[in-house]
Amino acid sequence: MQKYKYKIKNLDCPNCANQLERTLQKIDIIENVNISFMTQKLTFECNEETKEQALEKIRKTIKKEEPDVIIEEA
């Protein structure tokens, strides 16, 4: 497992961050998902070979739950 960190922008409130984190935790190919509202960071772990697939699933999930949120390389 490899740990990945991303910036997350346009997150409205801590409750939104918590709800989004709980939703992302349901994605089967990622583990240890954490969204920090204070630092505007998203971290997760996955196998290196599934990173792109994991990112795609994360982006789709976030777009569905919080359309204004943007994920960028940290």
Side-chain angles (χ1 to χ4, degrees):
M1 288 278 171
Q2 183 100 2
K3 189 171 190 173
Y4 298 99
K5 296 179 184 178
Y6 290 85
K7 292 179 192 173
I8 192 162
K9 294 184 174 182
N10 301 331
L11 202 51
D12 295 334
C13 65
N15 281 345
C16 296
N18 289 336
Q19 180 62 39
L20 200 51
E21 184 178 296
R22 282 194 295 276
T23 303
L24 292 176
Q25 288 171 347
K26 296 175 184 174
I27 298 174
D28 58 352
I29 60 173
I30 62 175
E31 295 181 11
N32 301 320
V33 178
N34 181 274
I35 296 177
S36 172
F37 178 74
M38 293 295 288
T39 62
Q40 299 287 293
K41 297 252 190 272
L42 161 69
T43 59
F44 65 93
E45 293 180 12
C46 71
N47 292 322
E48 195 171 339
E49 57 272 0
T50 61
K51 177 187 173 200
E52 291 306 316
Q53 182 184 3
L55 269 176
E56 186 177 325
K57 286 185 176 197
I58 289 169
R59 284 193 168 106
K60 282 183 181 178
T61 301
I62 288 175
K63 197 55 126 177
K64 183 178 175 188
E65 299 289 321
E66 295 286 335
D68 295 332
V69 171
I70 298 167
I71 300 173
E72 296 178 344
E73 295 278 339

